[in-house]
Amino acid sequence: MCGPVKLAVTVIGEGDEITFDYTGTSPSVEGPINCPMSATISASLFGLLALMPVDIPKSQGPATAVKVHAKEGSLVNPRVPSAVY
């Protein structure tokens, strides 16, 4: 299927925005381990919400502050018709 892959992420907080930058992540692979952009965004937001204090509502509010940068053709933003999990 595929050899080792690299998942790289830098989290940057500036002002009222948090950016998840996946620059440096491996290109997409043949096997079904690629992550569609929708799942990359969802997983990034989930990670953020899991680290937030419990008294902050888990709603659309925090989601509006999240930006995700992932190169098209990467493991976390594959091109169609790449296999995804």
Side-chain angles (χ1 to χ4, degrees):
M1 205 150 82
C2 65
V5 295
K6 179 179 178 183
L7 177 62
V9 64
T10 301
V11 181
I12 305 160
E14 290 183 312
D16 60 354
E17 287 187 357
I18 297 177
T19 301
F20 290 81
D21 184 352
Y22 288 90
T23 300
T25 295
S26 294
S28 61
V29 297
E30 280 189 35
I33 65 166
N34 300 295
C35 184
M37 190 63 171
S38 58
T40 300
I41 294 167
S42 177
S44 300
L45 180 58
F46 178 82
L48 174 65
L49 293 176
L51 296 172
M52 291 173 62
V54 296
D55 60 334
I56 294 178
K58 308 306 188 255
S59 64
Q60 181 64 28
T64 60
V66 173
K67 308 297 179 216
V68 177
H69 297 287
K71 182 179 177 182
E72 186 176 3
S74 69
L75 191 68
V76 293
N77 187 11
R79 290 185 183 95
V80 173
S82 298
V84 297
Y85 72 93

